[in-house]
Amino acid sequence: MLKLLPRFVAMAALGVAASMAHASDFKEIRIATEAGYPPFEYLNTDGDIVGYNIDIGNEICKRLEAECIWMDQSFDSLIPGLQARKFDLANSTMTATDARRRVIDFSTPLYVVASRLVAHKDKHLEPTAESLKGLRIGVQQGTIMEAHARKEWAPKGVTIVAYPSYTNAYLDLAVGRIDASFQEAPNALEGFLSQPEGADFALTGGTVTDSAMLNEPIAIGIRKGNKKLKAAVDQAILDMQADGTLKQITDKHFEPGHIELPSGQ
């Protein structure tokens, strides 16, 4: 079962600046995402960046009367890009971990999503070092799944193979170069298991429930010191939670139980 979010929402609500920026203060907002992670963010057949987080970002821009300028960036370049002022926000299924909070700020929490293993249907693996010992597990570079796997599994005989994108991991999984991949469950379902090459594979094992890292909320990354934009984004998200818009966007993209929204949604 996924972790509930009431404490994060309460903290975020207290952190919204008292003197809110006016929507007209923002003409355009540059938002970076790694568009290879369906259904959260990906390229459609026309080459447009679409997905769950894109809908959330577009709604935020709408409420701030700003134009969204979407930029496709590798996931591990998002934090350096924010710091270098290449864009204003990073909205790419990024978990708001303590380590990341030391170098960038985050918006009020958006949701929590479960991380799961994917392996061949004949294998019945669990997300534990004991079950995975001697195997090769694929993860995406710079993700909390990589951090968890390297901390908890690698020292106990599990080989962790990091990829620039889960698309590459799924290709290797399909041909047997790795034994399993470890990612957020909705991405596995949309990006691999629903595709022809994923027909012989399935989610396996349970959700990791004893890792604080894997149960932190997803939020939007913001450069430290950009207080006006953070306050405006926070307020837009809180308004979307209050009026049911966030739930409507979530229901459009996911089956019940795949995404946990803040308490009361």
Side-chain angles (χ1 to χ4, degrees), residues 23 26-29 58 60-68:
F26 307 99
K27 300 302 181 185
E28 67 176 34
I29 300 175
N58 286 337
I60 290 171
C61 287
K62 176 182 175 182
R63 291 174 185 240
L64 299 184
E65 299 177 13
E67 179 184 3
C68 273

Side-chain angles (χ1 to χ4, degrees), residues 9 24 78 185:
V9 176
S24 58
L78 293 178

Side-chain angles (χ1 to χ4, degrees), residues 52 55-60 62-63 110 236-253 261-262 264-265:
Y52 178 52
D55 286 354
I56 291 174
N58 286 337
E59 180 65 23
I60 290 171
K62 176 182 175 182
R63 291 174 185 240
L110 288 167
I237 292 172
L238 291 172
D239 290 344
M240 291 164 62
Q241 292 169 353
D243 66 20
T245 302
L246 183 59
K247 185 177 187 303
Q248 291 175 7
I249 295 173
T250 302
D251 291 345
K252 169 186 170 183
H253 289 275
L261 297 178
Q265 290 288 292

Side-chain angles (χ1 to χ4, degrees), residues 43 55 59 70 78 88 101 131 137 166 196 218 224 231-232:
L43 297 174
D55 286 354
E59 180 65 23
W70 288 96
L78 293 178
D88 306 302
R101 288 183 186 277
S131 179
I137 308 302
Y166 274 112
I218 303 297
K224 280 191 176 295

Side-chain angles (χ1 to χ4, degrees), residues 144-226:
I144 58 165
M145 282 69 70
E146 180 186 17
H148 176 84
R150 292 198 184 282
K151 178 183 177 183
E152 302 294 338
W153 302 342
K156 300 175 183 178
V158 183
T159 300
I160 307 304
V161 184
Y163 296 86
S165 169
Y166 274 112
T167 301
N168 307 100
Y170 296 147
L171 290 172
D172 276 4
L173 180 59
V175 298
R177 294 192 186 98
I178 57 176
D179 299 286
S181 62
F182 186 52
Q183 64 288 292
E184 284 149 331
N187 173 252
L189 293 166
E190 182 79 13
F192 183 58
L193 297 178
S194 65
Q195 307 302 317
E197 56 270 26
D200 294 328
F201 296 81
L203 293 171
T204 182
T207 300
V208 179
T209 58
D210 59 353
S211 168
M213 182 189 306
L214 291 177
N215 288 282
E216 292 289 344
I218 303 297
I220 297 174
I222 306 168
R223 186 172 55 256
K224 280 191 176 295
N226 201 347

Side-chain angles (χ1 to χ4, degrees), residues 7-194:
R7 75 178 180 91
F8 295 108
V9 176
M11 290 166 59
L14 290 173
V16 174
S19 56
M20 277 295 302
H22 297 291
S24 58
D25 290 344
F26 307 99
K27 300 302 181 185
E28 67 176 34
I29 300 175
R30 299 168 300 160
I31 309 179
T33 193
E34 193 267 308
Y37 202 63
F40 296 96
E41 48 266 339
Y42 61 99
L43 297 174
N44 65 12
T45 55
D46 294 326
D48 299 321
I49 302 176
V50 297
Y52 178 52
N53 286 325
I54 310 309
D55 286 354
I56 291 174
N58 286 337
E59 180 65 23
I60 290 171
C61 287
K62 176 182 175 182
R63 291 174 185 240
L64 299 184
E65 299 177 13
E67 179 184 3
C68 273
I69 307 296
W70 288 96
M71 305 168 66
D72 188 4
Q73 304 282 310
S74 65
F75 190 85
D76 56 5
S77 74
L78 293 178
I79 289 178
L82 269 179
Q83 294 173 316
R85 299 176 180 270
K86 292 182 179 180
F87 37 83
D88 306 302
L89 302 174
N91 187 10
S92 195
T93 323
M94 184 182 291
T95 304
T97 64
D98 289 340
R100 289 171 178 161
R101 288 183 186 277
R102 287 195 284 270
V103 292
I104 63 172
D105 287 333
F106 282 95
S107 70
T108 185
L110 288 167
Y111 55 89
V112 169
V113 57
S115 298
R116 299 279 302 277
L117 286 168
V118 170
H120 195 277
K121 291 178 178 178
D122 292 340
K123 297 181 179 180
H124 303 286
L125 303 177
E126 292 290 337
T128 64
E130 293 74 18
S131 179
L132 303 177
K133 185 175 181 179
L135 302 182
R136 294 168 58 83
I137 308 302
V139 293
Q140 184 177 9
Q141 294 170 357
T143 63
I144 58 165
M145 282 69 70
E146 180 186 17
H148 176 84
R150 292 198 184 282
K151 178 183 177 183
E152 302 294 338
W153 302 342
K156 300 175 183 178
V158 183
T159 300
I160 307 304
V161 184
Y163 296 86
S165 169
Y166 274 112
T167 301
N168 307 100
Y170 296 147
L171 290 172
D172 276 4
L173 180 59
V175 298
R177 294 192 186 98
I178 57 176
D179 299 286
S181 62
F182 186 52
Q183 64 288 292
E184 284 149 331
N187 173 252
L189 293 166
E190 182 79 13
F192 183 58
L193 297 178
S194 65

